[in-house]
């Protein structure tokens, strides 16, 4: 405890609760731990840190599908709105087999250009997500090549002030270079199948300062030949202040490991400090 | 994929349609001279009570700041004024305003607009006009 106070006292001038951005504009946490929507990493870095601040954020998310569920816990460190470091622990529950597939995702995202609100052109960031399966059994049985892998992505986001009937409108597009099967939960690559570029996109409308509604789309590869589908979501986020946000959504993840029509409810809570 | 394209198309349609219906000047939506004065007065009060950024204004001539800001807002919202005071760069040179403090001022301006009963969409339209000025104001 003493050490923590000592460390904190070494940070003079740094506000402990970063608040240097407009409310709701940094987005929330996506399932692999990066700042984003629910499914897609956005160009924004997590939390309210401006170029003069550090932000620390934590989140918990749950997606409940017909035959599966996904729990994610994670945190991000935003250093001066330049570098985002993230950690996410995923637990994917397979009802039919009564087993869990756990995966860890370590992420880093760097802002290359701009500010989502203020710069003329969209904010641009690049990121990586290193994923490691703790439970590779299912991935191996299905024919995945590896139990760890790395995604690389480039994201562009822009918030247009007052653009749609006076409401703020946000869009994001992300290109991801990946060989992950079902985001890595079913391993990486397969015989004769490897890295490919995938397209992801999000758009949201801010209904006032504290509520955003939006949709997301995430294109996915099909390395295992199991009719892996693209993922879609529609969400509403409530941001009562710069410390907490709650997101609820409908997710449609299509066919997963041979079971079709996997859709359900998504809930996420995030704290920003 | 097609669903997303349709959605994008609808959004683009709405963008153009909504932009086309703009008839009244932003200045009038802000409440004209009285409205702008109200916003400026609220902002001055908010700054006066603010610990984070008051120090930038401690030496400022409040009357002059009030007048010039109202003048500038009038011009930028298509009101019947032509701002010919010092440029944003000239005013802020040497002040070394950080991004954090600038963005905090924007929060105070939003508060000032709420206090003046400016509707949310009109607030955003004014912010959209002011946003490009940030690059001339911070880190100078």
């Amino acid at each position: 405890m003493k050490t923590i106070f000592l460390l904190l006292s070494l940070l003079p001038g740094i506000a402990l609760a970063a608040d240097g951005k407009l409310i709701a504009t940094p987005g929330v946490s996506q399932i692999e731990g990066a700042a984003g929507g629910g499914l897609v990493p956005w160009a924004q870095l997590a939390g309210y840190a401006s170029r003069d601040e550090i932000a620390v954020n934590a989140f918990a998310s749950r997606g409940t599908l017909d035959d599966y569920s996904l729990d994610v816990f994670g945190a991000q460190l935003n250093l001066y709105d330049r570098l985002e470091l993230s950690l996410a622990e995923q637990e994917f529950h397979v009802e039919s087999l009564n087993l869990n597939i756990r995966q860890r995702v370590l992420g880093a995202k760097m802002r290359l250009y701009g500010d989502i609100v203020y710069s003329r052109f969209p904010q641009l960031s690049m990121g990586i997500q290193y994923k490691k399966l703790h439970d590779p059994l299912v991935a191996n049985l299905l024919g995945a090549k590896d139990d760890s892998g790395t995604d690389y992505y480039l994201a562009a986001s822009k918030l247009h002030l007052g653009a749609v009937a006076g409401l703020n409108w946000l869009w994001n597009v992300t290109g991801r270079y990946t060989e992950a099967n079902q985001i890595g939960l079913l391993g990486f690559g397969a015989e004769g199948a490897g890295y490919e570029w995938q397209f992801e996109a999000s758009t949201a409308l801010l209904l006032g300062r504290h509520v955003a509604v939006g949709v997301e789309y995430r294109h996915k590869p099909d390395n295992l030949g199991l009719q892996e589908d693209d993922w879609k979501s529609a969400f509403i986020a409530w941001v009562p202040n710069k410390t907490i946000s709650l997101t609820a959504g409908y997710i449609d993840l299509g066919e997963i490991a041979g079971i079709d029509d996997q859709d359900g409810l998504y809930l996420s809570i995030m704290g920003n400090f | 994929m097609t669903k997303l394209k349709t959605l994008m198309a609808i959004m683009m349609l709405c963008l153009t349609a909504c932009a086309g219906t703009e008839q009244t000047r932003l200045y009038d939506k802000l409440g004209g001279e009285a409205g702008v004065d109200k916003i400026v007065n609220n902002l001055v009060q908010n700054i006066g009570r603010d610990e984070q950024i008051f120090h930038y204004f401690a030496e400022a001539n409040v009357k002059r700041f009030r007048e010039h800001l109202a003048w500038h807002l009038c011009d930028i919202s298509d009101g019947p004024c032509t701002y010919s005071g010092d440029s944003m760069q000239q005013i802020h040179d040497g002040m070394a305003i950080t991004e954090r403090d600038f963005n905090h001022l924007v929060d105070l301006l939003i508060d000032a607009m709420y206090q003046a009963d400016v509707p949310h969409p009109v607030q955003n339209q004014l912010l959209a006009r002011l946003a490009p000025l940030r690059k001339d104001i911070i880190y100078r």
Side-chain angles (χ1 to χ4, degrees):
Chain A
M1 204 59 198
K2 254 186 178 171
T3 337
I4 294 173
F5 279 119
L6 215 73
L7 281 173
L8 290 180
S9 66
L10 290 174
L11 305 170
I14 295 168
L16 288 175
D19 69 347
K21 286 181 188 165
L22 286 177
I23 190 163
T25 60
V28 291
S29 293
Q30 55 98 235
I31 47 173
E32 290 145 313
L39 302 178
V40 179
W42 293 353
Q44 293 99 303
L45 305 196
Y48 289 91
S50 60
R51 278 182 265 173
D52 319 295
E53 293 170 285
I54 289 174
V56 180
N57 320 283
F59 72 95
S61 304
R62 161 165 283 188
T64 313
L65 305 167
D66 300 304
D67 297 282
Y68 304 97
S69 63
L70 176 67
D71 286 305
V72 190
F73 297 94
Q76 305 101 357
L77 177 66
N78 176 336
L79 297 171
Y80 307 108
D81 202 25
R82 176 58 69 189
L83 184 66
E84 171 192 292
L85 301 172
S86 61
L87 165 71
E89 294 283 351
Q90 301 172 331
E91 187 170 294
F92 186 65
H93 182 68
V94 183
E95 299 278 355
S96 57
L97 302 173
N98 194 27
L99 64 79
N100 291 323
I101 301 174
R102 289 167 303 139
Q103 178 173 248
R104 173 171 296 167
V105 185
L106 295 171
K109 188 199 295 180
M110 187 190 257
R111 182 176 63 86
L112 300 177
Y113 164 83
D115 180 287
I116 179 167
V117 176
Y118 293 102
S119 59
R120 183 162 168 205
F121 300 106
Q123 180 170 335
L124 195 67
S125 297
M126 62 179 281
I128 60 168
Q129 292 178 336
Y130 170 76
K131 303 172 177 183
K132 169 81 180 154
L133 272 177
H134 300 304
D135 304 301
L137 177 69
V138 178
N140 292 340
L141 288 173
L142 292 172
K145 214 164 49 188
D146 293 306
D147 61 6
S148 68
T150 306
D151 289 359
Y152 306 86
Y153 64 90
L154 197 64
S157 294
K158 179 81 186 131
L159 182 126
H160 299 273
L161 289 162
V164 180
L167 300 178
N168 297 339
W169 173 52
L170 174 143
W171 59 263
N172 174 84
V173 291
T174 299
R176 183 195 296 260
Y177 192 58
T178 180
E179 58 170 354
N181 310 319
Q182 296 292 6
I183 72 169
L185 295 167
L186 301 184
F188 301 83
E191 189 66 42
Y195 274 98
E196 272 176 48
W197 279 100
Q198 305 294 329
F199 174 76
E200 305 175 8
S202 318
T203 183
L205 204 54
L206 278 71
L207 312 173
R209 303 266 165 239
H210 303 284
V211 176
V213 292
V215 292
E216 291 201 300
Y217 188 91
R218 180 164 169 170
H219 191 207
K220 306 220 334 303
D222 184 22
N223 298 329
L224 296 174
L226 288 169
Q227 274 81 52
E228 179 167 340
D229 278 317
D230 297 345
W231 285 6
K232 292 152 233 166
S233 78
F235 65 84
I236 178 164
W238 179 50
V239 190
N241 54 52
K242 289 183 181 180
T243 306
I244 196 164
S245 68
L246 294 167
T247 306
Y250 165 76
I251 46 177
D252 177 1
L253 307 189
E255 183 159 338
I256 297 177
I259 312 182
D260 206 0
D261 291 330
Q262 295 301 309
D263 62 353
L265 186 69
Y266 173 81
L267 289 170
S268 182
I269 181 167
M270 183 175 187
N272 308 289
F273 309 100
Chain B
M1 201 60 225
T2 36
K3 267 186 201 161
L4 186 78
K5 275 187 185 152
T6 318
L7 188 81
M8 292 272 189
I10 291 170
M11 285 213 151
M12 293 315 291
L13 268 177
C14 183
L15 270 181
T16 38
C18 301
T21 53
E22 192 158 343
Q23 285 154 3
T24 38
R25 294 178 301 183
L26 177 56
Y27 182 70
D28 298 318
K29 293 187 202 165
L30 291 168
E33 192 181 341
V36 169
D37 283 347
K38 216 187 279 179
I39 295 168
V40 170
N41 288 336
N42 293 340
L43 180 61
V44 168
Q45 281 183 26
N46 293 347
I47 292 169
R49 280 194 287 261
D50 190 80
E51 287 179 14
Q52 187 181 327
I53 63 166
F54 176 71
H55 67 96
Y56 290 112
F57 298 87
E59 307 280 302
N61 176 336
V62 177
K63 185 167 174 286
R64 188 183 138 89
F65 173 76
R66 231 184 261 266
E67 286 167 4
H68 277 239
L69 182 58
W71 188 12
H72 197 206
L73 290 181
C74 170
D75 185 3
I76 211 163
S77 62
D78 301 330
C81 322
T82 309
Y83 179 76
S84 56
D86 292 344
S87 73
M88 287 300 108
Q89 288 192 31
Q90 284 168 330
I91 294 168
H92 300 96
D93 251 356
M95 289 178 76
I97 296 172
T98 62
E99 185 178 274
R100 171 174 185 248
D101 290 344
F102 177 90
N103 293 2
H104 184 67
L105 177 71
V106 177
D107 279 343
L108 295 185
L109 172 63
I110 290 171
D111 291 345
M113 291 193 284
Y114 273 118
Q115 291 153 1
D117 297 319
V118 176
H120 175 74
V122 181
Q123 293 180 15
N124 291 336
Q125 286 161 14
L126 181 60
L127 294 177
R129 305 268 176 109
L130 295 171
L133 301 175
R134 191 180 82 147
K135 62 181 186 319
D136 298 329
I137 295 174
I138 60 173
Y139 300 114
R140 300 214 149 257

